[in-house]
């Protein structure tokens, strides 16, 4: 690709920002192609994504994302593929929508069916620099909001990714069984070895 072309009106620019084609130029006598350059932008890539920043004074992408790439070394995003595309329109500001996926505090109120298998109250939040954070919510353990005993079989039946018929051996734990299952499924899907990952 050596040009950027508007698919609607056909205005075309070179990759250096110069206007190459002004369709029906006679209708635009006031447009000087030399003065209608595209503005410069910072462009970089990471993990198969292209990042465009219109602020020429902004820090580089590498400086901005800090050590985020280190957290994805085992799971390279550029090797992922889309197996399904699901969209939902939410009647809210995008920040409100995304907030639900960066904390577990709401689980007991919004998803009470999950509290027998989700350690929402012991979720770990880590902050790495100014722009990178991580949330780790353990699964396979009941929430502290559960006031009754939850058996191993109930936890296994509740886990959507676990195959039917799994059971906890006498000297094992639910977390161990679920860890083995998740490692096996990841290996099957990616062709990689995850045997060194813990049950944590």
């Amino acid at each position: 690709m050596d040009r950027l072309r508007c698919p609607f009106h056909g205005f075309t620019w070179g990759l250096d920002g110069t206007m190459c084609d002004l369709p029906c130029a006679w209708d635009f006598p006031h447009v000087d192609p030399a003065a209608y350059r595209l503005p410069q932008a910072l462009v970089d890539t990471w993990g198969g994504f292209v990042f465009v920043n219109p602020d020429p004074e902004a820090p580089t992408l590498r400086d901005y994302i800090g050590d985020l790439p280190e957290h994805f070394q085992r799971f390279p995003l550029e090797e992922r593929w889309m197996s399904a595309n699901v969209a939902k329109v939410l009647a809210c500001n995008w920040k409100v929508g995304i907030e639900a996926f960066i904390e577990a505090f709401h689980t007991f109120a919004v998803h009470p069916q999950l509290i027998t298998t989700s350690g929402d109250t012991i979720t770990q939040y880590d902050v790495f620099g100014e722009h990178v954070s991580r949330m780790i919510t353990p699964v396979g353990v009941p929430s502290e909001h559960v006031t009754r005993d939850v058996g191993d079989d109930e936890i296994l039946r509740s886990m959507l990714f676990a195959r039917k018929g799994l059971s906890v051996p006498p000297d094992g734990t639910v977390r161990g069984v679920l860890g083995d299952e998740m490692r096996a499924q990841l290996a099957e899907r990616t062709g990689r070895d995850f045997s060194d990952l813990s049950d944590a």
Side-chain angles (χ1 to χ4, degrees), residues 10-11 20 25 37 59 100 107 110 113 130 141 164 168 172 177-178 199:
F11 285 46
C20 303
R37 294 180 56 89
T107 304
V110 180
Q113 73 278 16
E130 193 174 346
V141 295
K164 293 189 183 339
V168 179
V177 171
L178 293 174
D199 298 336

Side-chain angles (χ1 to χ4, degrees), residues 11-44:
F11 285 46
T12 306
W13 289 265
L15 296 183
D16 63 354
T18 57
M19 180 175 269
C20 303
D21 188 19
L22 176 60
C24 306
W26 58 83
D27 278 340
F28 302 97
H30 59 289
V31 173
D32 175 9
Y36 274 74
R37 294 180 56 89
L38 292 176
Q40 287 191 331
L42 299 176
V43 179
D44 203 346

Side-chain angles (χ1 to χ4, degrees), residues 17-78:
T18 57
M19 180 175 269
C20 303
D21 188 19
L22 176 60
C24 306
W26 58 83
D27 278 340
F28 302 97
H30 59 289
V31 173
D32 175 9
Y36 274 74
R37 294 180 56 89
L38 292 176
Q40 287 191 331
L42 299 176
V43 179
D44 203 346
T45 60
W46 173 73
F49 297 96
V50 177
F51 293 80
V52 179
N53 190 330
D55 180 2
E57 304 300 319
T60 66
L61 176 65
R62 298 291 186 253
D63 288 340
Y64 189 87
I65 63 176
D67 59 0
L68 181 65
E70 294 173 30
H71 295 280
F72 284 90
Q73 284 180 345
R74 291 291 297 266
F75 306 96
L77 294 177
E78 61 272 15

Side-chain angles (χ1 to χ4, degrees), residues 79 83 90 131 150 159 171 176 199-200:
E79 296 179 15
S83 61
L90 300 176
H131 305 112
V150 180
M159 300 306 297
D171 59 342
D199 298 336

Side-chain angles (χ1 to χ4, degrees), residues 45-126:
T45 60
W46 173 73
F49 297 96
V50 177
F51 293 80
V52 179
N53 190 330
D55 180 2
E57 304 300 319
T60 66
L61 176 65
R62 298 291 186 253
D63 288 340
Y64 189 87
I65 63 176
D67 59 0
L68 181 65
E70 294 173 30
H71 295 280
F72 284 90
Q73 284 180 345
R74 291 291 297 266
F75 306 96
L77 294 177
E78 61 272 15
E79 296 179 15
R80 300 273 176 113
W81 64 93
M82 183 184 298
S83 61
N85 185 17
V86 179
K88 181 165 181 66
V89 176
L90 300 176
C92 67
N93 181 290
W94 71 269
K95 294 176 205 159
V96 174
I98 202 167
E99 195 272 341
F101 295 92
I102 58 173
E103 53 86 3
F105 183 76
H106 71 279
T107 304
F108 79 98
V110 180
H111 312 289
Q113 73 278 16
L114 299 179
I115 64 172
T116 55
T117 60
S118 175
D120 58 336
T121 57
I122 55 173
T123 293
Q124 175 179 317
Y125 300 93
D126 301 306

